[in-house]
Amino acid sequence: MAKDQRSFLRRNLLTILTVIGVVGGSVTGIILRNALGKWNKRDTMYLAFPGEIFLRMLKCLIIPLLMSSVIHAIGSLDLSLSRKIAFRSIFYYSATTVSAVILGMILVVTIRPGVGVKPMEASNEKYVTREVLTQDTLLDLIRNVFPPNIVQACVSQSQTYLIKPENASLPSNQTNHTIVKNLETWSFEERYESTTNVLGLVTFAIIFGIALGKLGERSKPLLDFFEAASEAMMIITNWVIWLSPLGVYFLVTAKVMEIESFLDLIGRLGLYFTTVLLGLAIHGFGTLSLIYFIAVRRLPFNVIAELSQVLVTAFGTASSSATMPITIQTMDKMGLDPRVTRFVIPIGATINMDGTALYEAVAAIFIAQLRDKPLTFGKTVAVCVTATAASIGAAGIPQAGLVTMVMVLDTVGLPSEDVINIIAVDWLLDRFRTTINVMCDCLGAKLVDILSAGELGDPVTSVDRVNAEPQELVELKHDSRI
Ligand code: ASP
């Protein structure tokens, strides 16, 4: 084998193995399914077990990695720079999310995947959704930015639950889809859902970092502590990342064994599936590239190629949050300034979900087409706004977008039970949209890094430090402002 090929293989070994994991998992799943039929939940759980352990390891890294690296990165940045990075990131998140929703809307209105397709009747035992109001989702988001208790934020986040009134059953002559429930009249209560409040933790870490920056010299011991902690977490990430081929192999195999029907993919839902996929592809490689080009006058394709490991992991895990340690590690390896990545990636993984936003718009309009619901201009705009809100409110976990879909459906005047129409293919679309969600965050980090390069000065990355010999590390410490 030529030397070039050998070095290419060595550099990309992990990515190649992870791709083999995804493809191998799908093939094994299909073969096992054809030979043995659909498995029950318990058998699938056994099969998914190695993948579950991989996911647990990744999730376990999120809090210590996030807290230490965000506090250290922001603490070593001066306030005006933090403000500029924040402004650029928020501008980027907004521009990309809005363009994703508009693209989804144009595609679904032009292709009309739901016209002439028979809707499924909701059966409550199959899928029970939580009723939500758009305003509650937005208020919950703001509540979660300000957690009342930082320890509690590590394990739970606020969620408003609507309580169905006793007399809310449907009149006998009306079916689910002809009646719109007046959710505003339902009573509600604030509950804590057991999932990490990443947004609250990142906010706390940013504020704490800014305070440390203001303390000047006196904050040095703490900043050194967080720097060492963050580098130790990066080393552990480096170990865990080698389990990704095996982890995604088992996760994908088990998922294929568990799904309901392949026929929906090519039949009833084929056109819907294609519309979302087409939208994701145009957004990922067209719109995002254009925004990137306008901002930095370069095309991002070589950057996207360097992200392959991150993208395959996002596909395999269907979770932006679980992929985050690998995302941060890859960005460090690509030479981005950690002060930028620590800001853009965690916040992006929590609120910037372009793939989800596009999917929310397409899915809601698809269901409205199934139900023959007319779509006025006002409703179209309302769907765009709620789809954006739904994507911001969705957590970075598998199929979170399906849950927040309910509020987009409410905008079109459809009951939450109608999500039954898209469930069959959602597990697969989720993987594609998660990949685009993560890709958008990474391109954003690269773009902000390029735009901020002149102001940031010495671009020493954590990975330089992790790989440096002790003596080099001493020199780096003298040279760098980190
Ligand atoms: N699974 C997606 C993510 O983690 C969220 C979603 O669209 O369901 O980014």
Side-chain angles (χ1 to χ4, degrees):
M1 208 189 295
K3 209 169 154 214
D4 277 0
Q5 280 171 320
R6 264 208 307 273
S7 93
F8 173 84
L9 267 185
R10 202 170 323 120
R11 262 186 294 120
N12 296 295
L13 181 65
L14 186 60
T15 310
I16 296 168
L17 288 177
T18 316
V19 173
I20 294 176
V22 171
V23 178
S26 319
V27 174
T28 315
I30 292 170
I31 294 174
L32 283 180
R33 212 190 141 97
N34 282 336
L36 309 169
K38 185 174 174 262
W39 280 14
N40 64 31
K41 248 190 142 130
R42 174 156 283 277
D43 290 342
T44 323
M45 181 269 285
Y46 292 140
L47 185 64
F49 188 68
E52 185 193 330
I53 298 298
F54 166 65
L55 268 185
R56 294 171 81 103
M57 287 182 192
L58 279 181
K59 287 182 187 165
C60 175
L61 292 173
I62 295 173
I63 296 178
L65 172 66
L66 225 128
M67 295 307 275
S68 58
S69 62
V70 175
I71 292 174
H72 172 244
I74 303 291
S76 10
L77 206 62
D78 75 58
L79 200 54
S80 66
L81 260 180
S82 302
R83 232 181 274 136
K84 275 190 188 160
I85 293 179
F87 177 75
R88 284 176 185 142
S89 317
I90 288 165
F91 187 74
Y92 173 82
Y93 297 149
S94 323
T96 54
T97 308
V98 170
S99 53
V101 172
I102 294 175
L103 174 67
M105 200 56 108
I106 294 173
L107 288 178
V108 72
V109 170
T110 323
I111 301 177
R112 307 206 294 162
V115 174
V117 181
K118 204 173 154 305
M120 283 170 79
E121 284 318 318
S123 94
N124 283 339
E125 23 14 294
K126 251 192 149 181
Y127 190 78
V128 184
T129 46
R130 189 172 66 87
E131 302 287 358
V132 283
L133 277 170
T134 309
Q135 55 269 41
D136 285 339
T137 310
L138 291 177
L139 291 179
D140 283 343
L141 189 80
I142 299 171
R143 281 187 190 106
N144 285 322
V145 171
F146 304 102
N149 180 330
I150 202 71
V151 179
Q152 189 187 39
C154 295
V155 291
S156 63
Q157 52 173 288
S158 296
Q159 203 159 62
T160 303
Y161 271 79
L162 295 177
I163 303 158
K164 193 173 178 177
E166 295 287 303
N167 56 356
S169 58
L170 300 174
S172 56
N173 60 346
Q174 284 183 298
T175 56
N176 269 348
H177 65 272
T178 59
I179 188 165
V180 181
K181 298 165 197 157
N182 188 3
L183 298 179
E184 303 250 3
T185 58
W186 289 23
S187 70
F188 61 90
E189 66 183 25
E190 202 56 38
R191 290 192 197 162
Y192 279 94
E193 196 202 11
S194 55
T195 162
T196 307
N197 176 5
V198 178
L199 208 53
L201 291 178
V202 174
T203 313
F204 181 81
I206 291 174
I207 307 285
F208 190 54
I210 292 175
L212 286 185
K214 280 213 165 286
L215 266 183
E217 262 309 291
R218 275 170 42 224
S219 66
K220 197 168 177 314
L222 257 186
L223 282 179
D224 284 346
F225 165 81
F226 285 118
E227 181 183 24
S230 135
E231 281 167 10
M233 295 317 298
M234 292 315 290
I235 293 175
I236 302 177
T237 307
N238 235 333
W239 294 335
V240 174
I241 208 173
W242 281 96
L243 299 176
S244 33
L246 217 65
V248 297
Y249 172 81
F250 284 103
L251 285 175
V252 173
T253 311
K255 195 75 217 178
V256 175
M257 294 301 293
E258 174 187 286
I259 53 172
E260 286 294 331
S261 155
F262 280 114
L263 289 181
D264 272 329
L265 255 185
I266 37 172
R268 248 170 35 85
L269 296 176
L271 206 49
Y272 157 70
F273 187 83
T274 317
T275 310
V276 178
L277 223 53
L278 182 70
L280 294 176
I282 298 178
H283 184 72
F285 296 96
T287 319
L288 288 183
S289 304
L290 188 69
I291 293 176
Y292 188 88
F293 182 79
I294 292 171
V296 300
R297 305 273 153 209
R298 291 179 216 170
L299 283 170
F301 300 115
N302 56 341
V303 180
I304 296 174
E306 284 185 84
L307 293 173
S308 1
Q309 179 63 36
V310 179
L311 303 183
V312 185
T313 311
F315 186 88
T317 58
S319 166
S320 314
S321 295
T323 313
M324 194 159 40
I326 297 182
T327 314
I328 291 180
Q329 201 239 23
T330 308
M331 302 260 86
D332 281 356
K333 278 204 169 139
M334 286 165 62
L336 269 76
D337 195 302
R339 291 165 291 182
V340 172
T341 47
R342 272 36 173 196
F343 194 94
V344 182
I345 301 294
I347 299 183
T350 330
I351 61 168
N352 181 41
M353 298 196 180
D354 293 13
T356 306
L358 185 142
Y359 143 86
E360 302 266 0
V362 175
I365 305 297
F366 168 72
I367 296 173
Q369 290 170 349
L370 292 181
R371 293 279 183 216
D372 244 342
K373 279 256 170 196
L375 211 64
T376 58
F377 179 73
K379 272 214 170 125
T380 313
V381 175
V383 169
C384 287
V385 175
T386 33
T388 308
S391 75
I392 297 174
I397 55 173
Q399 296 192 300
L402 191 66
V403 181
T404 53
M405 249 308 289
V406 174
M407 69 192 212
V408 194
L409 285 181
D410 188 51
T411 314
V412 203
L414 288 164
S416 52
E417 290 81 5
D418 263 11
V419 292
I420 188 94
N421 284 291
I422 50 167
I423 282 178
V425 294
D426 198 70
W427 66 277
L428 190 51
L429 281 180
D430 185 25
R431 284 159 199 270
F432 286 107
R433 63 183 190 250
T434 308
T435 309
I436 295 297
N437 290 346
V438 173
M439 183 170 131
C440 178
D441 297 339
C442 295
L443 288 180
K446 181 76 188 172
L447 183 152
V448 175
D449 184 72
I450 297 174
L451 293 179
S452 316
E455 299 146 0
L456 284 164
D458 185 12
V460 176
T461 65
S462 295
V463 82
D464 286 332
R465 293 170 175 283
V466 172
N467 293 338
E469 294 300 320
Q471 186 50 40
E472 284 175 86
L473 202 54
V474 173
E475 282 161 19
L476 280 172
K477 273 190 198 295
H478 282 298
D479 290 349
S480 140
R481 290 193 288 128
I482 303 180

